[in-house]
Amino acid sequence: MSSFEDMGFCKLDTDREQRTGFPEVVFGAGKTTEQIIEIVARLIERHGRAMVTRVTSEVGAELMSHFPDAIYRDISQIFTYGTAERVFPGKVTVLSGGTSDMRVAEEAAITAEWMGCEVERIYDVGVAGIDRLLAYRENIQAANVVIVVAGMEGALVSVVGGLVRRPVIAVPTSVGYGCHFQGLTPLLAMMTSCAAGISVVNIDNGFGAGYNAAIIQQLVAEAKDR
Amino acid sequence: MSSFEDMGFCKLDTDREQRTGFPEVVFGAGKTTEQIIEIVARLIERHGRAMVTRVTSEVGAELMSHFPDAIYRDISQIFTYGTAERVFPGKVTVLSGGTSDMRVAEEAAITAEWMGCEVERIYDVGVAGIDRLLAYRENIQAANVVIVVAGMEGALVSVVGGLVRRPVIAVPTSVGYGCHFQGLTPLLAMMTSCAAGISVVNIDNGFGAGYNAAIIQQLVAEAKDR
Amino acid sequence: MSSFEDMGFCKLDTDREQRTGFPEVVFGAGKTTEQIIEIVARLIERHGRAMVTRVTSEVGAELMSHFPDAIYRDISQIFTYGTAERVFPGKVTVLSGGTSDMRVAEEAAITAEWMGCEVERIYDVGVAGIDRLLAYRENIQAANVVIVVAGMEGALVSVVGGLVRRPVIAVPTSVGYGCHFQGLTPLLAMMTSCAAGISVVNIDNGFGAGYNAAIIQQLVAEAKDR
Amino acid sequence: MSSFEDMGFCKLDTDREQRTGFPEVVFGAGKTTEQIIEIVARLIERHGRAMVTRVTSEVGAELMSHFPDAIYRDISQIFTYGTAERVFPGKVTVLSGGTSDMRVAEEAAITAEWMGCEVERIYDVGVAGIDRLLAYRENIQAANVVIVVAGMEGALVSVVGGLVRRPVIAVPTSVGYGCHFQGLTPLLAMMTSCAAGISVVNIDNGFGAGYNAAIIQQLVAEAKDR
Amino acid sequence: MSSFEDMGFCKLDTDREQRTGFPEVVFGAGKTTEQIIEIVARLIERHGRAMVTRVTSEVGAELMSHFPDAIYRDISQIFTYGTAERVFPGKVTVLSGGTSDMRVAEEAAITAEWMGCEVERIYDVGVAGIDRLLAYRENIQAANVVIVVAGMEGALVSVVGGLVRRPVIAVPTSVGYGCHFQGLTPLLAMMTSCAAGISVVNIDNGFGAGYNAAIIQQLVAEAKDR
Amino acid sequence: MSSFEDMGFCKLDTDREQRTGFPEVVFGAGKTTEQIIEIVARLIERHGRAMVTRVTSEVGAELMSHFPDAIYRDISQIFTYGTAERVFPGKVTVLSGGTSDMRVAEEAAITAEWMGCEVERIYDVGVAGIDRLLAYRENIQAANVVIVVAGMEGALVSVVGGLVRRPVIAVPTSVGYGCHFQGLTPLLAMMTSCAAGISVVNIDNGFGAGYNAAIIQQLVAEAKDR
Amino acid sequence: MSSFEDMGFCKLDTDREQRTGFPEVVFGAGKTTEQIIEIVARLIERHGRAMVTRVTSEVGAELMSHFPDAIYRDISQIFTYGTAERVFPGKVTVLSGGTSDMRVAEEAAITAEWMGCEVERIYDVGVAGIDRLLAYRENIQAANVVIVVAGMEGALVSVVGGLVRRPVIAVPTSVGYGCHFQGLTPLLAMMTSCAAGISVVNIDNGFGAGYNAAIIQQLVAEAKDR
Amino acid sequence: MSSFEDMGFCKLDTDREQRTGFPEVVFGAGKTTEQIIEIVARLIERHGRAMVTRVTSEVGAELMSHFPDAIYRDISQIFTYGTAERVFPGKVTVLSGGTSDMRVAEEAAITAEWMGCEVERIYDVGVAGIDRLLAYRENIQAANVVIVVAGMEGALVSVVGGLVRRPVIAVPTSVGYGCHFQGLTPLLAMMTSCAAGISVVNIDNGFGAGYNAAIIQQLVAEAKDR
């Protein structure tokens, strides 16, 4: 049985670090700044580190004034305090289809880094210019885990899936228009990809992709330890 | 004003050949064998040639016994009588993603051929093995029009769209399962493709793609004539 | 193998003009004004011309102050610098169903013009007044390529498709309400059109339609050259 | 308060004729032959006439052996006994887009006739050949009510809606494929039609269209009586 | 052949009154105030009357300062100038399910009135209090045409459809929340209603319902004239 | 902690009766006859009674030959063995909209009866003939719980919801056609009902409705016991 | 026959308290402050109590200045005046999955309380930390009715459904992102739950859930009275 | 550059084993028995092993007569020849929600085993009986990778996701009815899960899940080798 701490407005999963290797990460959207500050303070007290996603610039500035040693990144809208206790062997590669997918790609990259991964970024390599992508073939094949962030039709995932022997985590983004349906179209397309070795997370869920990559890397690290 | 002939159960568009360069093509599904035979006879009488799509093997056999000089192709389910009066310069290239897309790919290819196109087929070059596709890069770039037939997530279209300077006509197919939704997913994906120069026809509409390619080729031929 | 130029925030497809005949066109939405300026400057430097779509009036004004020789059009929200090197023979005709479809229709028209097409515009000829449309029958039939821009139910496409022997490129627009679903309804309707010779691009994708028309016209021109 | 008769398996709306001018019409699908026979017998006993829709050929044959004076029509799958007491002034015109829409068009036509309408049929006049339709312009404009039955994209409705000053009742049909979605696409398209004076009934609901036309004609007739 | 007048930004259907009995009605949404003023001026000049729907309060005030003899109604967002030349015999009854449906109900009522109908309004009679509705049973049964405007689940239509012998025109509204989907749910529900004699127009399309009712009433009036 | 019994192909929830008052009910669809027989035998052994839903006639006959003291009902496709240990005070009333909804209505009724409820059935009272329904107003108001089973547009639920002070459990059925979408339309309509006191179960889930009614009745009975 | 009072802009269901035990509850969204004040005044005059849901803070403040003895709660956006005449025996337990679901959970809780229920709140017990939920197992099992409010994927409902012998009323919320579709995903998931004893109300319909719970509790109370 | 072998009807990806560690796996659905035999023969010749998924019993029997040393499993519909060259350290645990999910669960399990994984199966542990699941808590937490196969609402995934520190691969199945939509509902629910560490594959795609698990295990094994 795991335990938790009742903070009134929420029940903090305090032994999550022991259970999973990482403290609970806070989803910033829909929480007041006060609530976030209170949770972050408690997390730092208990674990020495904390991370909050989907933090707007305004909230980020307020958090920074409370926790001056923390880092707030505007592009990824992530607030972090402290760093991972260990760095896992091997690298995670994050690819993105276009310039506009960067917020989500960075959310994935920063998440993985904060959790202990070495991350390589290869952005704006959409398949409409296949040679741009293929120029990075060896880099991509050298990764332990590949994260592919793509809006529009999400075709990048299928091409990458065919190039590598490692797990590919696909993140559809809401970047597109018309019958793109805020990311539903690439989500469905990635699901029905003709390539094997792909699994998919929710639209714009860069955090989820980074988290998945990190627990695979943690598994690798712990397996090597044994 | 164009004219037509009232056959009781349908109104045959008899001056369509004069208007468009091609006699009316018959959509076989949902018509009785008797109706098809009557229409085909009338088309041959008037134009010297006829084509029927979506003809099942059973109906195909019956048609062949009535019109022994015709051709019925099992794979594409197309019945044709006679040939095009001229062959257009340049070629149309038909690509398909997988083996199961062949019925639709052949519907496109046979349609274009019957209308006067030279057709090159490059099948089973889905992007999960990108090198299979790139091995044909020069062939594809040499085409006047490229037809891409793909089920699953339809990513082949985007890669091809980035390789060529010519129009790409995309045909989503109903080949897939799960959240592929009988072709809706590749249709939407093709619509939101990150590559330019692509337009899309209905799911499994190989005929439409072949027809579009042929009228582009007809335009080219007639422009050269001038 | 094509090459590209890494600009940090994006990878510019620099030999695209050699490959396709046209420099890369910039999709303005989702890019900062600074990014657009930087890309445009680089495109002008390399190709002597540049085009950006989906440029708001505010951004357009800023661009104009940087590139005083350029043109910004408010209706189509397109920024262009320089012109096509050649004008293709024959004309492209752009039809629209209603007054509100004009932004998309102009996006198609300006795109085609910038790429080298002669363009004829016939607007507000929706089928609810069929005689308005038929008054232009000969104009429409004289086009090499016809672009049909329509919101509501998109029926204009089917009527036009039946009138011409040339390719019809259909653009559904987001103009409508209720079960129009921001353009999904005309998109699906155009896809299932009873007329042949039609292919469809994404909702509001006037650029895509203009681009398709232009590469067909380029094909015609290059075929005549041979 | 209206009254009804409890037949065990159903509650027959016996004073419907007094309330609406017509006896209850039986929806044959999903009822056993025995149930239909029992209801028909009771309707004849009470009203001297009866009508059943969606009757398969097999059930139709059984009904005919029980009610030899009745009529069963294979195309429209309608069983009728007896005729209308009066014929309403003016005519109802039923248009269909294609040959395959005939079952639904006939369901509309037979329903209207059985209820007392004079019906004119103009079939296979889809808009891909607009001149076929316009050849009947005067006939259509002479109708009191126009029923338009169309599958595919249903564009016929909008063109007809623009031609007439009378109510147009639109019936989408399930005839089509791909993203036609068994009639959902023409249903939505008809709903968002750019023409005024159109209202829509359910997919394949020829009966509903015929019924609506007949009660309009009944209203006209009763208004003239007054 | 009907004729039209090219106003530059639109093509005004000038002989529409002769063809249909009513001048063209202007859909105000998506047009600039200047465009509306120009069209209204032209309509008044030609027909002596004009109507514009979907006019916001701001635009309405501007229109009133140009056309002081006109009427602008805030609730229905309709601008009218002049009145119908004749009043049709019999009445149209407009029912609404709830208080929030009033904008759409009034759009229907004002449209029908401006076109020459006598209109009775019975509002806020949703079926959750069936006795409220039944208290008006006789009024409803006395109408020539019944318009039912309902959001939520739209059940009012089915109950009314069972009460009357006259055509029922159903208007789903966007009033609701959750899986109401801005009116799609009542639209689909009205389409599949268990009652006969119902036809449906687009979500929030009060104008369409009023127009349909008016042309039925015009038919009745003209039939009586004969 | 509850316990269970591992039967190899499934894990039987053996202390469910103690936890909920009822033994586990078996969902027959998708299980082999052998599996059903084995589970039923085990349930009888442990609880002295058993119930299986969605049992086809063929499987029902096989079950009856194994358990001759059981009952198989063809209409509701339910197999039951044994009866409830107590009968709860008050009654459950099951209403259905049309004759074709009977399978689902009976599934609800038999389930509730087997679990200990007294059930009153009032079938074929769809709102298109509102007086049929209102004739039973007092019966309906006398129930402790009302189950409303309706296909088509499901409007019956809203009218009934407005008549009673007790919980109404709504069951949409797959009876309908066209844009009824196999029951999705009434499901959504019931969800957005304008009446209070309604909750909804899955399409065709008569069992779920009967079960809900029975646990409310069990609650009433146990509250009275206290 | 129930009666009502025509207030001009609405028809107040004045004998609803006699019919159902509770005065009509006002849905505040879409009504003007003036309309709400008028209705509340009339309800207080007649019943001595009133409740309005979906009241924004601004409107709430205005209402409070008119009815100083009332209560306005910011979190649940509910305005209440007066209290229930009796408190029903037993308790209703309201569970929520996450902190962001609180508005809806409180709407359910306050509604049930105002109608006479004793309510226990157990919030932020989503299944991703199952031990948090199981820590409350006995509390949950002691309830007469359980309300489960959950966004995201709504899995909490199924786990709770398996724990209790009492009715579970599920409320999907619009809390989520990506393919959550503003609550449609948990709504569908709750509908297809593998647990029995669950029924579902519309997205964010906390009021409906509270109302359902209260009428079950009223039934229990009245049954005990007998 | 990878190479391939053109077999006429398909292009076999012959250096896939070198690239990914595994020979190409054949998707049996949509291929003729002759095609499968030819491919299998070629794979065995080249790699000494082969696997085909979605093989019906009939085709399975034919394959077995050609390859007597192979294994065909009826439940998972998988044909395998030969075994993995190495067994990876650690185990993969496959959970399923219900008995009917077994085909998909076994497809995942057999795939993972054939690729070199040790697999533990824990079936029929749906969350409606949470104690059944929790009884296996330690087993589940001991896995390197967890595959969760679930139909209905798919809630099992979220509970499991909260229990483990390892990657969870979710497979929605088409087992369900009503608004389950052949697996779309659990797919969307899994995507929006409140638990972290989950990624999702297509409906019924047991193969994809097994494949993903195996390449994670391969990564672990190869990392330990280094």
Side-chain angles (χ1 to χ4, degrees), chain G residues 116-183:
Chain G
C117 298
E118 185 189 338
V119 173
E120 180 188 38
R121 290 154 170 87
I122 305 175
Y123 289 172
D124 199 28
V125 287
V127 299
I130 193 74
D131 297 315
R132 285 186 298 191
L133 175 65
L134 295 178
Y136 296 94
R137 187 191 282 233
E138 286 181 25
N139 297 51
I140 299 169
Q141 287 176 334
N144 270 6
V145 185
V146 182
I147 293 173
V148 178
V149 178
M152 311 297 277
E153 85 291 37
L156 181 59
V157 171
S158 298
V159 176
V160 172
L163 292 177
V164 301
R165 69 191 286 139
R166 300 300 180 211
V168 175
I169 301 165
V171 192
T173 74
S174 53
V175 174
Y177 68 94
C179 66
H180 178 266
F181 301 128
Q182 286 80 51

Side-chain angles (χ1 to χ4, degrees), chain B residues 29-48:
Chain B
K31 294 202 178 63
T32 65
T33 310
E34 289 66 38
Q35 290 176 330
I36 296 175
I37 288 170
E38 205 172 330
I39 300 174
V40 166
R42 194 68 193 87
L43 287 169
I44 292 173
E45 189 180 18
R46 192 166 181 104
H47 307 287

Side-chain angles (χ1 to χ4, degrees), chain D:
Chain D
M1 289 276 294
S2 61
S3 67
F4 57 89
E5 179 181 329
D6 199 328
M7 298 186 65
F9 60 89
C10 82
K11 298 191 170 50
L12 199 63
D13 187 351
T14 44
D15 71 356
R16 188 175 170 84
E17 186 171 31
Q18 187 183 325
R19 202 164 80 246
T20 67
F22 309 101
E24 187 164 356
V25 171
V26 184
F27 185 70
K31 293 201 179 64
T32 65
T33 310
E34 289 66 38
Q35 290 176 331
I36 296 176
I37 289 170
E38 206 173 328
I39 299 174
V40 166
R42 194 67 193 87
L43 286 168
I44 292 174
E45 189 179 19
R46 191 166 181 104
H47 306 288
R49 55 180 172 151
M51 178 168 131
V52 191
T53 63
R54 310 250 171 155
V55 178
T56 61
S57 308
E58 294 73 34
V59 175
E62 284 197 62
L63 291 182
M64 287 308 293
S65 72
H66 270 74
F67 306 98
D69 298 341
I71 300 175
Y72 173 72
R73 289 166 184 87
D74 215 51
I75 291 177
S76 59
Q77 305 207 301
I78 291 185
F79 168 93
T80 55
Y81 183 97
T83 56
E85 279 164 10
R86 68 179 293 186
V87 174
F88 306 127
K91 74 173 176 182
V92 172
T93 296
V94 180
L95 303 174
S96 82
T99 306
S100 314
D101 301 317
M102 199 179 290
R103 191 197 71 69
V104 180
E106 278 297 300
E107 189 181 285
I110 300 290
T111 298
E113 284 176 342
W114 185 78
M115 291 174 74
C117 299
E118 186 189 337
V119 174
E120 180 188 38
R121 290 154 171 88
I122 305 176
Y123 289 173
D124 199 27
V125 287
V127 298
I130 193 74
D131 296 315
R132 284 186 299 191
L133 175 65
L134 295 177
Y136 296 94
R137 187 191 280 234
E138 286 179 26
N139 297 50
I140 298 170
Q141 288 176 333
N144 271 6
V145 186
V146 181
I147 294 172
V148 177
V149 178
M152 312 297 277
E153 86 290 38
L156 179 59
V157 170
S158 297
V159 176
V160 171
L163 293 177
V164 300
R165 71 193 283 139
R166 300 301 181 209
V168 174
I169 301 164
V171 193
T173 74
S174 53
V175 173
Y177 68 94
C179 64
H180 177 268
F181 301 128
Q182 287 79 51
L184 178 60
T185 290
L187 185 152
L188 297 174
M190 288 166 171
M191 275 286 167
T192 58
S193 173
C194 54
I198 294 168
S199 63
V200 187
V201 298
N202 198 2
I203 299 162
D204 289 341
N205 189 6
F207 165 72
Y211 188 96
N212 272 287
I215 60 177
I216 292 175
Q217 287 290 74
Q218 178 183 247
L219 166 65
V220 169
E222 292 178 2
K224 286 177 78 86
D225 291 350
R226 266 177 256 149

Side-chain angles (χ1 to χ4, degrees), chain G residues 126-131 134 137 152-153 155 158-159 161-163 177 179-181 185 188-195, chain H residues 126-131 134 137 152-153 155 158-159 161-163 177 179-181 185 188-195:
Chain G
V127 299
I130 193 74
D131 297 315
L134 295 178
R137 187 191 282 233
M152 311 297 277
E153 85 291 37
S158 298
V159 176
L163 292 177
Y177 68 94
C179 66
H180 178 266
F181 301 128
T185 291
L188 296 175
M190 288 166 171
M191 275 286 166
T192 58
S193 173
C194 55
Chain H
V127 298
I130 193 74
D131 296 315
L134 295 177
R137 187 191 282 233
M152 311 297 277
E153 85 290 36
S158 297
V159 176
L163 293 176
Y177 68 94
C179 65
H180 177 267
F181 301 128
T185 290
L188 296 174
M190 288 166 170
M191 275 286 167
T192 58
S193 174
C194 54

Side-chain angles (χ1 to χ4, degrees), chain E:
Chain E
M1 287 277 295
S2 61
S3 67
F4 58 89
E5 179 181 331
D6 199 329
M7 298 184 66
F9 60 89
C10 83
K11 299 191 168 52
L12 199 63
D13 187 351
T14 44
D15 71 355
R16 189 176 169 82
E17 185 170 33
Q18 185 182 328
R19 202 165 81 246
T20 68
F22 309 100
E24 188 165 355
V25 172
V26 183
F27 185 72
K31 294 204 177 61
T32 66
T33 310
E34 290 65 37
Q35 290 176 330
I36 296 175
I37 288 169
E38 204 172 330
I39 299 174
V40 165
R42 194 69 192 87
L43 286 169
I44 291 173
E45 187 179 18
R46 191 167 181 102
H47 306 289
R49 56 181 170 150
M51 177 167 133
V52 191
T53 63
R54 310 250 173 156
V55 177
T56 61
S57 307
E58 294 72 34
V59 176
E62 284 197 63
L63 291 183
M64 287 309 293
S65 72
H66 269 75
F67 306 98
D69 299 340
I71 300 174
Y72 174 70
R73 289 166 184 87
D74 215 52
I75 292 177
S76 60
Q77 305 207 301
I78 292 186
F79 168 92
T80 55
Y81 182 97
T83 55
E85 281 163 9
R86 69 180 293 186
V87 174
F88 306 127
K91 73 172 178 184
V92 172
T93 296
V94 180
L95 303 174
S96 83
T99 304
S100 315
D101 301 317
M102 198 177 292
R103 190 197 70 70
V104 180
E106 278 298 299
E107 188 181 285
I110 300 292
T111 298
E113 284 176 344
W114 185 77
M115 290 174 74
C117 299
E118 184 189 339
V119 174
E120 180 188 39
R121 291 154 170 88
I122 305 176
Y123 289 172
D124 198 28
V125 286
V127 299
I130 192 74
D131 296 315
R132 284 187 299 191
L133 174 66
L134 295 178
Y136 295 95
R137 187 191 283 232
E138 285 180 26
N139 297 51
I140 299 169
Q141 287 176 334
N144 270 7
V145 185
V146 182
I147 293 173
V148 178
V149 177
M152 312 297 277
E153 87 289 39
L156 180 60
V157 170
S158 297
V159 176
V160 171
L163 293 176
V164 301
R165 71 191 285 138
R166 299 301 180 209
V168 175
I169 301 165
V171 193
T173 74
S174 55
V175 173
Y177 68 94
C179 66
H180 177 268
F181 300 128
Q182 286 79 53
L184 178 59
T185 291
L187 185 151
L188 296 175
M190 288 166 171
M191 275 286 165
T192 58
S193 173
C194 55
I198 294 167
S199 63
V200 187
V201 298
N202 198 3
I203 298 162
D204 289 339
N205 190 6
F207 164 71
Y211 188 96
N212 272 287
I215 58 177
I216 292 175
Q217 286 289 74
Q218 177 182 248
L219 166 66
V220 168
E222 292 178 2
K224 284 178 80 87
D225 292 350
R226 265 176 257 150

Side-chain angles (χ1 to χ4, degrees), chain F residues 79-121:
Chain F
F79 168 92
T80 55
Y81 182 97
T83 55
E85 279 164 10
R86 68 179 294 185
V87 175
F88 306 128
K91 73 172 177 183
V92 172
T93 296
V94 181
L95 302 175
S96 83
T99 305
S100 313
D101 300 317
M102 199 179 289
R103 190 197 70 70
V104 180
E106 278 297 299
E107 189 181 286
I110 300 290
T111 298
E113 284 176 344
W114 185 76
M115 291 174 74
C117 300
E118 185 189 339
V119 174
E120 180 188 37
R121 290 154 171 89

Side-chain angles (χ1 to χ4, degrees), chain G residues 11 22 37 45 64 108 167 174 182 190 197 212 224:
Chain G
K11 298 191 169 52
F22 309 100
I37 288 169
E45 187 179 19
M64 288 306 294
S174 53
Q182 286 80 51
M190 288 166 171
N212 272 286
K224 284 176 80 88

